[in-house]
Amino acid sequence: ESARGHGLEPPRAVVLFGPPGTGKTTFARAIASRLGWPFVEIYPSRLATDHGGLALALRDTFESIGRLERVAVFIDEVEEIAPARTFPPAGEPGRGSHGVVNEMLKIIPAFRERDSRLLICATNSIRSLDPAFLRPGRFDYLIPVGPPDEDARLAMWTRLVARADRSDVDVNKLVAASNSLTPADMSLCAQTAAQRAFERDALAADSGGVRGATTTEYLDAISAMRPTVTSEAVVAFREDIELFSRT
């Protein structure tokens, strides 16, 4: 209501794009939580592909979702249902994903008709999506979700470290050392350090009463981590931001 007072229409459909492991699904769940709406996740690979195929399965799924008063719908790996179409020479029938993409192009406008709905799609490869699928009028925002910045890493490491009893971990050192890591990478590093601390204490005659990984154990886990997002992927992601971002 406040937004409309400024002439602003709330978004009804957004695309989150970025490298794998950067937290797009978590972002989508957080949006639904903030709104207080039911969160429905659609898995394209799990939809029935018989009795009319994927296009019919999508139509039936969205018809069922339409019975909800308010809902946030999340489709991960949306490139499975909206890949860029290749058009055959004149007079030849279209093949492959044309029917599925066309069905999605019909579904989105109908989905957008009510205020209390939000469609969130996520992809690791926005370049592979059909241009008609992404155009304004279907999706309001195309939002890049990349590796976390310093403030985000501080928040994440603070939460990860707080799981253990130890209170003397230098979180700022972990933040500085994990510049190239995704949230998934950081979570794995935290578990690796916790495992090492657990093994150390299990073998020690006296653990000293302090449980949890030390700063050094966290740093060792970070240094041994092979980042999910390569430098080449970061370059490609920055190019995608320039080419596709709409916020």
Side-chain angles (χ1 to χ4, degrees):
E1 291 174 359
S2 177
R4 286 204 175 87
H6 294 276
L8 176 65
E9 287 293 326
R12 292 180 175 85
V14 300
V15 172
L16 309 179
F17 68 92
T22 50
K24 295 182 287 295
T25 301
T26 301
F27 189 8
R29 290 182 180 276
I31 293 170
S33 177
R34 180 67 62 89
L35 290 169
W37 292 359
F39 181 81
V40 176
E41 185 166 0
I42 296 174
Y43 300 91
S45 60
R46 298 183 188 177
L47 289 177
T49 55
D50 53 2
H51 305 296
L54 181 55
L56 180 59
L58 282 168
R59 187 189 317 157
D60 291 344
T61 298
F62 274 89
E63 284 180 358
S64 297
I65 290 172
R67 301 187 186 104
L68 297 173
E69 181 179 353
R70 52 177 53 91
V71 64
V73 178
F74 179 63
I75 306 177
D76 197 6
E77 298 182 354
V78 72
E79 63 271 15
E80 292 186 13
I81 57 176
R85 292 168 291 178
T86 57
F87 293 91
E92 294 185 16
R95 298 185 298 275
S97 61
H98 283 233
V100 179
V101 177
N102 289 339
E103 187 62 41
M104 280 302 299
L105 297 183
K106 297 174 188 175
I107 286 172
I108 294 173
F111 183 87
R112 294 176 57 94
E113 289 178 357
R114 280 173 34 192
D115 287 347
S116 53
R117 295 175 176 175
L118 179 62
L119 174 63
I120 309 168
C121 295
T123 180
N124 298 333
S125 177
I126 193 168
R127 303 180 189 204
S128 68
L129 296 180
D130 193 272
F133 182 73
L134 294 173
R135 72 168 177 79
R138 291 196 172 93
F139 286 92
D140 305 286
Y141 301 144
L142 309 179
I143 303 173
V145 182
D149 60 15
E150 185 173 325
D151 289 340
R153 295 198 307 278
L154 176 61
M156 292 174 192
W157 277 120
T158 299
R159 177 178 58 83
L160 291 168
V161 168
R163 293 176 179 175
D165 295 341
R166 187 179 291 274
S167 60
D168 59 352
V169 174
D170 190 336
V171 174
N172 290 323
K173 287 186 176 180
L174 309 188
V175 171
S178 57
N179 182 46
S180 61
L181 301 186
T182 66
D185 294 338
M186 293 163 60
S187 181
L188 178 58
C189 288
Q191 283 298 293
T192 299
Q195 177 70 26
R196 291 173 181 170
F198 172 70
E199 292 171 355
R200 166 174 48 79
D201 288 352
L203 295 173
D206 181 8
S207 65
V210 179
R211 294 181 296 180
T214 64
T215 301
T216 299
E217 286 169 325
Y218 280 113
L219 291 173
D220 287 344
I222 292 171
S223 65
M225 181 70 197
R226 184 183 296 109
T228 298
V229 181
T230 64
S231 57
E232 293 82 3
V234 171
V235 171
F237 176 58
R238 289 172 179 164
E239 292 175 354
D240 286 347
I241 293 174
E242 293 296 323
L243 291 170
F244 298 101
S245 181
R246 189 164 69 232
T247 59

